[in-house]
């Protein structure tokens, strides 16, 4: 039998995804944004379990680790169809456990560690948060001070992490720790996997500008982890961290374009609702946003090809981080201009998400748009500030000299 053409296989896969969605959602479904908070969390849990059963929580991972081994085209189809139906592809913490840590472990870890952790991350048994930034080590990550000292068959951790998103919902954390205080700043750092449910760890939520408490400060006072729970090599964690940050910025290119397209469509609906569709300035600004979203889509296609080939996003991921985060400031400013004075007294349901956009199917309320507007500012800071991204682009992609210190 002749092999099925790639495009035909892709469309067959699209049909299977649509069948999966049809069995999952009730009649009259408009998207998860139409559910209240309780129903939303219940639905997200059910969806994640169904996706994990098919390997679609980590669709690009090998099947042996709980993934589905999808092609780049199939990966994009899956994300497109879930987004079009208003269905989340996972939970907020999956960004840390799957997009960031799991992909990094596939690059740096031995098979025994992969078999121990990756299937449990996919199943949801292990929920991860990120432990990188500290009070004195944000953009200058190499100045981190949290110590991990070897003690027999374990590490003992002392210090603090800051801005740890979702740590209050996690039971594990990947932590950058200083394991050799005599080494230069970029040396003597190790990435450790640390269980959070133990004495010696104190997680304290921080309230942000929207009123939410989605990120935290985490204190380590004699907390421990096993000696062999090291990603990469001891004292050589800096390149491992750079791989992970590349995935943080790069794999966003898979999900962000579909979120951005959905959000822009909601904004266009809002423009019509407010009677501003014929306003020339509004039309010009919406057209500019459309071009930016199409650029994001092209980045996403390129990133999918890299991930399927097992390639790291590398420094080029900084260009996408700059593109989407700076764009999101502009598009949400436009939304508030469309809403007008109503933005001063927001009403309706604010967005439950602490990054990117509101959920598909969410009402076009002033509270939704103002909360997303406020969160958009944080997007130019977390995962590396825009200034840091410009430095990466200038030095590593364009070959410009380093800035003087």
């Amino acid at each position: 039998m002749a092999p099925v053409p790639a495009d035909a296989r892709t469309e067959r896969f699209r049909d299977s995804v649509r069948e999966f969605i049809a069995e999952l959602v009730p009649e009259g479904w408009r998207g998860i944004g139409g559910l209240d908070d309780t129903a939303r969390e219940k639905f997200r849990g059910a969806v994640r379990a169904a996706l994990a059963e098919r390997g679609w929580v980590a669709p690009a991972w090998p099947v042996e680790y709980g993934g589905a081994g999808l092609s780049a085209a199939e990966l994009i189809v899956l994300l497109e169809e879930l987004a079009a139906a208003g269905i989340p592809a996972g939970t907020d913490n999956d960004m840390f456990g799957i997009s960031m840590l799991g992909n990094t472990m596939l690059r740096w870890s031995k098979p025994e560690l992969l078999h121990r952790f990756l299937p449990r991350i996919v199943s949801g048994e292990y929920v991860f948060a990120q432990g990188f930034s500290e009070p004195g080590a944000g953009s200058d990550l190499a100045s981190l001070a949290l110590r991990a000292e070897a003690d027999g068959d374990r590490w003992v951790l002392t210090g603090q992490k800051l801005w740890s998103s979702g740590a209050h919902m996690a039971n594990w954390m990947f932590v950058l720790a200083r394991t050799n205080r005599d080494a230069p700043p970029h040396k003597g750092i190790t990435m450790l996997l640390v269980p959070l449910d133990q004495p010696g760890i104190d997680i304290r939520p921080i309230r942000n500008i929207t009123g939410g408490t989605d990120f935290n400060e985490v204190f380590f006072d004699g907390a421990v982890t096993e000696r062999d729970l090291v990603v990469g090599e001891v004292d050589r964690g800096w390149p491992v961290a750079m791989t992970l940050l590349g995935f943080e910025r790069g794999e966003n290119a898979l999900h962000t374009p579909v979120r951005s397209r959905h959000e822009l469509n909601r904004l266009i609906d809002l423009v019509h609702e407010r009677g501003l569709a014929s306003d020339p300035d509004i039309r010009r600004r919406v057209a500019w946003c459309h071009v930016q979203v199409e650029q994001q889509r092209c980045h996403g296609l390129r990133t999918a090809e890299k991930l399927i080939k097992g390639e790291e996003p590398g420094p080029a991921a900084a260009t996408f981080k700059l593109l989407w985060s700076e764009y999101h400031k502009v598009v949400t400013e436009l939304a508030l201009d469309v809403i007008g004075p109503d933005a001063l007294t927001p009403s309706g349901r604010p967005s439950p998400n602490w990054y990117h956009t509101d959920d598909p199917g969410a009402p076009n309320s002033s509270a939704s748009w103002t909360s997303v507007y406020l969160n958009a500012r944080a997007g130019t800071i977390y995962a590396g500030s825009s200034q840091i991204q410009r430095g990466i682009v200038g030095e590593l992609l364009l070959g410009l000299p380093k800035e003087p210190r």
Side-chain angles (χ1 to χ4, degrees):
M1 179 182 294
V4 180
D7 56 349
R9 290 199 305 270
T10 301
E11 289 311 305
R12 287 184 184 178
F13 178 72
R14 186 184 298 275
D15 290 340
S16 70
V17 175
R18 288 177 174 174
E19 290 172 5
F20 166 79
I21 291 171
E23 295 173 357
L24 196 65
V25 301
E27 188 175 351
W29 174 258
R30 296 187 298 109
I32 193 172
L35 303 178
D36 62 34
D37 290 345
T38 302
R40 174 181 181 269
E41 291 311 307
K42 182 178 180 181
F43 181 77
R44 289 189 80 175
V47 168
R48 195 194 185 283
L51 290 170
E53 186 178 346
R54 291 162 175 77
W56 290 354
V57 169
W61 287 5
V63 174
E64 62 183 306
Y65 299 128
L70 298 187
S71 68
E74 289 169 335
L75 179 58
I76 294 297
V77 163
L78 177 62
L79 296 176
E80 285 177 344
E81 292 298 325
L82 292 175
I87 295 176
T91 65
D92 292 335
N93 285 72
D94 282 333
M95 177 177 68
F96 306 113
I98 292 174
S99 300
M100 296 163 62
L101 175 63
N103 285 330
T104 300
M105 290 183 69
L106 285 168
R107 165 67 176 81
W108 287 96
S109 295
K110 295 179 180 178
E112 53 266 29
L113 204 61
L114 297 177
H115 282 292
R116 176 176 173 181
F117 276 86
L118 296 195
R120 289 179 170 87
I121 293 173
V122 168
S123 71
E125 179 182 350
Y126 289 174
V127 180
F128 271 88
Q130 181 179 16
F132 274 27
S133 295
E134 299 180 6
S139 296
D140 184 17
L141 185 59
S143 62
L144 65 90
L146 182 143
R147 301 194 313 275
E149 298 178 338
D151 179 20
D153 61 354
R154 64 183 189 171
W155 296 97
V156 180
L157 288 80
T158 306
Q160 179 186 357
K161 292 297 179 181
L162 192 60
W163 315 127
S164 298
S165 299
H168 58 299
M169 299 183 292
N171 53 21
W172 283 84
M173 176 178 280
F174 52 90
V175 175
L176 272 189
R178 190 159 296 285
T179 47
N180 186 344
R181 283 181 279 179
D182 297 325
H186 289 81
K187 309 288 185 181
I189 291 173
T190 304
M191 186 185 293
L192 304 173
L193 306 180
V194 181
L196 293 179
D197 186 14
Q198 62 167 304
I201 291 182
D202 184 14
I203 300 173
R204 303 179 187 175
I206 301 171
R207 193 167 300 279
N208 64 24
I209 196 172
T210 68
T213 53
D214 302 305
F215 46 69
N216 311 264
E217 52 184 346
V218 183
F219 295 88
F220 299 80
D221 184 11
V224 300
T225 193
E226 298 171 37
R227 188 72 177 268
D228 61 349
L229 296 190
V230 174
V231 181
E233 297 182 41
V234 174
D235 291 345
R236 298 181 180 179
W238 187 254
V240 181
M242 294 304 99
T243 294
L244 186 141
L245 291 175
F247 280 119
E248 179 180 22
R249 297 160 186 162
E251 189 157 301
N252 259 333
L254 297 177
H255 303 274
T256 298
V258 289
R259 290 193 190 108
S260 295
R261 174 54 61 192
H262 151 73
E263 182 181 61
L264 183 56
N265 289 340
R266 285 183 66 229
L267 177 56
I268 292 171
D269 290 340
L270 183 68
V271 169
H272 285 282
E273 291 170 13
R274 297 278 171 156
L276 296 172
S278 60
D279 183 298
D281 183 58
I282 296 294
R283 293 173 67 88
R284 176 188 60 80
R285 294 165 71 183
V286 169
W288 180 88
C289 291
H290 169 75
V291 172
Q292 301 302 306
V293 173
E294 284 301 296
Q295 287 190 60
Q296 292 180 34
R297 185 178 65 83
C298 292
H299 273 273
L301 293 170
R302 185 167 56 203
T303 299
E305 291 286 356
K306 278 193 165 190
L307 291 175
I308 296 302
K309 294 176 182 177
E311 299 175 8
E312 297 179 20
T319 61
F320 184 75
K321 171 61 167 58
L322 264 177
L323 174 64
W324 78 254
S325 61
E326 293 295 330
Y327 158 80
H328 205 216
K329 283 200 311 181
V330 176
V331 71
T332 53
E333 288 169 1
L334 172 56
L336 262 61
D337 286 345
V338 171
I339 292 171
D342 288 346
L344 298 174
T345 55
S347 61
R349 190 212 71 170
S351 171
N353 298 324
W354 40 270
Y355 65 99
H356 292 335
T357 67
D358 203 345
D359 289 327
N364 256 332
S365 70
S366 55
S368 168
W369 283 107
T370 53
S371 61
V372 172
Y373 163 83
L374 292 171
N375 277 329
R377 272 71 211 140
T380 63
I381 301 171
Y382 62 67
S385 68
S386 289
Q387 290 88 340
I388 293 294
Q389 306 309 314
R390 291 186 179 101
I392 293 172
V393 171
E395 294 172 18
L396 300 183
L397 297 180
L398 301 180
L400 300 177
K402 291 181 178 292
E403 290 189 24
R405 293 186 177 274

